[in-house]
């Protein structure tokens, strides 16, 4: 899923509002918040924290930006030290807040203190040495991920590929062995993280317990204006609503894979083979369109083809500027110029959707400071993210954009974060985050739902859409392969981490438990053995990056609720799946009003203002996909749908591990 630089979460996973208990002895050279002023009220304390927080924030985010866009030992050192300084200062704030417990204060101050205590993903221990160790491990794990490279062959025959190239194989190749090699190859990059991650868990659990939580998972579940038990039960309830739809999609997909690859290779004991899903983590099945398209060519929406044509036009224009008979260097420069140009054009199209609703244009600094494409001269974290650098309008995105449909929709998603930043920048810093973390992830995806065939035609991306039952099912299938396929994945990552944090999943069973949960929720399995010599969770950015993942599951419910609410605000009448509120200022005004609230009030109140209800509910998901669900049931008639979860879901038989990865050097 698309990660963003959430205001209250560092790129390496440490929260800006990370909690830690007070330390009596601070390491030398560490900036610490001044002691509470004698006679200071709770309201005055929060006002001071907000001021100090905002002043230190740009230096902290600059170090994180550098460590993600210039991966080397120096940038990682700066990031780790920045985190260390911040966590130490935050410890002092948390300790100072204790003196106000039970004292009178404004409701806004009470909420700010609560957010200060809960908005965290990396609770640090008291001990200064352990705090420093934690920040070093967090930075090192993200660097390992960003520089991860899979190499095969020796000497002149040696070939090294990073994540983007390996993803291209899964996206485009239908060669079973080539896909397996690419999938296994990327997963080798995580093996060196296993020891670091085990120690990381020990350290964050120590920090959590010092703050009164049973473990870090309980702390994560405490940030939803609900009890930890209530939010866990809520996610189970929401999954129960959408699981029948997912099971029908899974059944249809398994049948098609068996028809493509053969009965033996197209499934693993009734589960979907991990390396055949077109995505490294099986979280988005959209790249299997050539295999899963219900009706060939019906209502064709070849977005990737349109973007490739745009790239070719940009390339020819760059060549023309280079003059006749350009040499190799000029050809290369023309290629790079065209890559950057099409990336910016894709981003401009996304921006135009937001401005059509009455939202402001992105600041000029966005266009000069954003990383649009992968640099050629250094390692970077290509995982898409959005950044608020100073709480005052210096916003950026970081991607390695390619002209394809997946990246096109990702830009709309990332700009959702950016516009949320811009909307709530006027609030006090402790309120500058989403109503809950699922809200932040849902904003841009709400726009993606409104990218209907009619909208795509209006921006010249596709031809006039076909109006037919077949075209409707194709359109629904396209969306389901991105949205419905993701939902169980959105649950299982944190189910794994909750078990890791509470000790029910031991370090000796990390990989076994990972694949058992993928089997349980996704119905997915590896085609070859994945023993404990592997650390497959680390091959997903959000694990070494320490980004809580339940937010993404919740966002996939909320975005449909937001979408329905905005369609109602736009006065739309008709089937939900046909609605686009593009260009509707009334819908835009209502959306912006929600974004401006940030975390200044409980999310239930914010949700009610937009949708009329205070409860998350997947009813809009089922309403949207009703035609597809009926169609899938017809297609699956006579099939045995569902799957059995094996005792251990690691593989039917052992196999030799792939060649080891070689980390790229700066």
């Amino acid at each position: 899923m698309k990660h963003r630089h959430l205001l209250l979460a560092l790129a390496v996973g440490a929260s800006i509002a990370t909690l830690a208990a007070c330390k009596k002895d601070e390491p030398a050279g560490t900036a610490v918040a001044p002691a509470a002023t004698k006679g200071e009220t709770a309201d005055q304390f929060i006002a001071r924290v907000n001021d100090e927080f905002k002043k230190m924030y740009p230096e902290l985010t600059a170090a994180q930006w550098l460590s993600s866009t210039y991966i080397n030992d120096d940038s990682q050192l700066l990031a780790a030290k920045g985190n260390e300084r911040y966590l130490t200062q935050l410890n002092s704030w948390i300790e100072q807040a204790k003196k106000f417990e039970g004292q009178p204060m404004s409701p806004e101050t009470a909420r700010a203190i609560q957010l200060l205590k809960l908005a965290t993903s990396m609770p640090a221990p008291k001990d200064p040495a352990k705090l420093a160790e934690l920040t070093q491990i967090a930075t090192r794990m993200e660097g390992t991920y960003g520089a991860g490279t899979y190499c095969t062959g020796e000497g002149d025959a040696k070939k090294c590929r990073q994540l983007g190239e390996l993803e291209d194989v899964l996206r485009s190749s239908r060669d079973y062995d080539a896909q397996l090699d690419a999938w296994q190859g990327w997963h080798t990059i995580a093996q060196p993280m296993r020891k670091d991650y085990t120690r990381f868990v020990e350290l964050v659990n120590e920090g959590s317990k010092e703050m009164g939580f049973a473990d870090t998972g309980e702390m994560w579940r405490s940030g939803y204006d609900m009890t930890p038990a209530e939010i866990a039960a809520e996610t189970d309830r929401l999954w129960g609503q959408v699981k029948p739809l997912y099971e029908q999609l899974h059944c249809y997909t398994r049948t098609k894979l068996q028809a493509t690859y053969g009965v033996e290779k197209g499934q693993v004991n009734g589960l979907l083979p991990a390396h055949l899903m077109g995505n490294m983590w099986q979280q988005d099945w959209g790249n299997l369109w050539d295999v899963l398209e219900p009706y060939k060519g019906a209502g064709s929406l070849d977005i990737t083809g349109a973007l490739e044509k745009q790239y070719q036009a940009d390339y020819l224009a760059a060549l023309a500027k280079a003059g006749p008979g350009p040499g190799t260097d000029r050809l290369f420069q023309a290629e790079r110029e065209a890559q950057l140009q099409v990336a910016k054009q894709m981003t401009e199209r996304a921006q135009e959707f937001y401005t059509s609703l009455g939202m402001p244009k992105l600041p000029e600094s966005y266009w000069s400071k954003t990383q649009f494409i992968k640099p050629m001269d250094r390692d970077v974290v290509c995982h898409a993210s959005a950044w608020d650098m100073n709480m005052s309008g210096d916003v950026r995105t970081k991607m390695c954009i390619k002209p394809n449909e997946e990246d096109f929709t990702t830009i709309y998603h990332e700009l959702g974060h950016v516009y949320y930043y811009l909307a709530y920048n006027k609030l006090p810093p402790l309120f500058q985050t989403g109503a809950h973390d699922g809200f932040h992830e849902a904003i841009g995806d709400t726009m993606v739902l409104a990218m209907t065939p009619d909208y795509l035609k209006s921006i010249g991306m596709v031809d006039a859409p076909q109006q037919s039952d077949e075209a409707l099912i194709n359109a629904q299938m396209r969306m389901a392969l991105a949205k419905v396929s993701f939902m169980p994945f959105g649950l299982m990552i944190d189910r794994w981490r909750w078990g890791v944090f509470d000790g029910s999943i031991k370090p000796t069973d990390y990989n076994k438990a990972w694949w058992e949960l993928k089997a349980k929720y996704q119905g997915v399995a590896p085609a070859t053995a994945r023993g404990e010599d592997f650390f497959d969770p680390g091959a997903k950015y959000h694990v070494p990056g320490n980004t809580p993942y339940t937010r993404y599951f919740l966002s996939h419910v909320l975005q449909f609720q937001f979408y329905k609410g905005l369609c109602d605000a736009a006065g739309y009448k008709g089937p939900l799946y046909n609605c686009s509120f593009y260009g509707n200022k009334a819908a835009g005004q209502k959306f912006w009003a929600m974004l401006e609230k940030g975390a200044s009030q409980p999310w239930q109140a914010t949700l009610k203002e937009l949708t009329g209800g205070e409860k998350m509910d997947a009813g809009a998901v089922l309403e949207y996909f009703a035609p597809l669900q009926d169609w899938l049931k017809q297609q699956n008639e006579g099939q045995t749908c569902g799957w059995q979860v094996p005792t251990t879901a690691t593989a039917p038989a052992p196999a030799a591990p792939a060649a080891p990865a070689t980390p790229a050097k700066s």
Side-chain angles (χ1 to χ4, degrees), residues 209-226:
K209 289 173 183 175
E210 288 171 355
M211 293 168 53
F213 294 94
D215 57 76
T216 303
E218 183 181 87
M219 173 181 279
W220 285 6
R221 296 191 299 277
S222 298
Y224 290 94
D225 293 308
M226 305 169 76

Side-chain angles (χ1 to χ4, degrees), residues 356-598:
S356 82
L357 302 177
M359 298 184 190
K361 284 190 174 183
L362 296 170
E364 286 301 317
S365 60
Y366 171 87
W367 300 99
S368 61
K369 296 180 178 180
T370 278
Q371 176 186 294
F372 289 100
I373 60 175
K374 189 179 188 302
M376 299 296 295
D377 60 344
R378 61 186 186 271
D379 287 324
V380 300
V381 176
C382 276
H383 198 93
S385 55
W387 298 62
D388 185 359
M389 301 298 293
N390 64 358
M391 301 187 188
S392 298
D394 182 358
V395 290
R396 308 174 191 175
T397 52
K398 175 186 61 59
M399 289 183 66
C400 300
I401 297 173
K402 295 181 179 179
N404 59 53
E405 179 178 357
E406 184 176 1
D407 282 5
F408 188 54
T409 56
T410 295
I411 296 167
Y412 283 71
H413 171 93
E414 297 304 335
L415 289 193
H417 296 304
V418 168
Y419 276 97
Y420 215 162
Y421 299 149
L422 294 174
Y424 61 49
N425 268 168
K426 70 180 189 304
L427 295 174
L430 289 176
F431 290 158
Q432 288 194 33
T433 186
H436 69 52
D437 54 11
F439 275 65
H440 231 302
E441 298 301 332
I443 304 306
D445 282 352
T446 302
M447 304 303 194
V448 173
L449 290 174
M451 293 169 66
T452 60
D454 284 337
Y455 162 72
L456 293 170
K457 177 183 179 296
S458 74
I459 63 171
M461 190 62 63
V462 300
D463 295 331
Q466 222 177 13
Q467 301 296 326
S468 68
D469 291 342
E470 290 79 8
L472 170 60
I473 294 303
N474 272 9
Q476 291 245 298
M477 179 64 78
R478 270 190 172 276
M479 193 64 77
L481 294 178
K483 303 296 183 182
V484 179
S485 70
F486 174 82
M487 289 184 170
F489 182 75
L491 276 181
M492 63 81 43
I493 286 189
D494 276 356
R495 290 298 196 274
W496 179 80
R497 283 190 290 199
W498 294 351
V500 167
F501 290 139
D502 70 20
S504 59
I505 296 175
K506 308 295 183 187
T508 53
D509 293 324
Y510 276 173
N511 230 43
K512 176 176 178 286
W514 176 260
W515 285 107
E516 286 177 347
L517 286 166
K518 286 185 75 68
K520 175 183 177 180
Y521 284 100
Q522 291 182 274
V524 165
T528 57
R530 307 298 298 177
E532 295 303 325
D533 50 330
F534 295 103
F535 181 55
D536 292 331
K540 175 62 180 170
Y541 172 81
H542 301 73
V543 174
N546 194 47
T547 304
Y549 215 80
T550 300
R551 64 183 59 172
Y552 297 105
F553 171 75
L554 296 176
S555 81
H556 276 64
V557 173
L558 285 169
Q559 63 191 250
F560 285 88
Q561 285 185 269
F562 293 169
Y563 175 62
K564 183 175 175 62
L566 293 171
C567 289
D568 291 344
Y572 172 78
K573 306 294 182 184
L576 183 59
Y577 52 78
N578 272 344
C579 169
S580 180
F581 47 80
Y582 170 71
N584 189 283
K585 298 297 193 292
Q589 185 176 12
K590 196 163 189 177
F591 210 16
W592 189 257
M594 185 187 84
L595 301 183
E596 286 182 313
K597 295 290 175 54

Side-chain angles (χ1 to χ4, degrees), residues 170 176 179-180 183 187 257 265-268 271-283 285 288 514-515 518 522-528 530:
L170 301 187
Y176 182 95
Q179 292 175 90
L180 182 60
W183 185 87
H187 283 70
L257 288 176
K265 289 185 175 181
Q267 53 84 38
V268 180
L271 284 72
L272 304 177
H275 68 289
L276 296 183
M277 302 310 298
N279 175 272
M280 194 64 75
W281 311 279
Q282 310 84 52
Q283 68 184 62
W285 303 351
L288 295 185
W514 176 260
W515 285 107
K518 286 185 75 68
Q522 291 182 274
V524 165
T528 57
R530 307 298 298 177

Side-chain angles (χ1 to χ4, degrees), residues 140-219:
R140 185 165 61 243
M141 286 194 300
E142 192 189 25
T144 298
Y145 186 95
T149 304
Y150 171 54
C151 297
T152 55
E154 299 292 340
D156 293 340
K158 187 174 183 179
K159 181 180 181 182
C160 295
R161 292 174 289 174
Q162 291 192 309
L163 177 59
E165 294 172 281
L166 297 169
E167 285 184 304
D168 285 342
V169 176
L170 301 187
R171 178 184 294 113
S172 304
S173 174
R174 295 297 172 254
D175 182 314
Y176 182 95
D177 293 330
Q179 292 175 90
L180 182 60
D181 173 68
W183 185 87
Q184 289 178 330
W186 175 249
H187 283 70
T188 63
I189 70 100
Q191 289 174 273
M193 298 179 195
R194 189 185 184 102
K195 183 178 178 181
D196 269 346
Y197 192 78
T198 302
R199 178 60 176 159
F200 177 87
V201 170
E202 294 172 354
L203 292 170
V204 293
N205 269 346
E206 183 175 333
S208 297
K209 289 173 183 175
E210 288 171 355
M211 293 168 53
F213 294 94
D215 57 76
T216 303
E218 183 181 87
M219 173 181 279

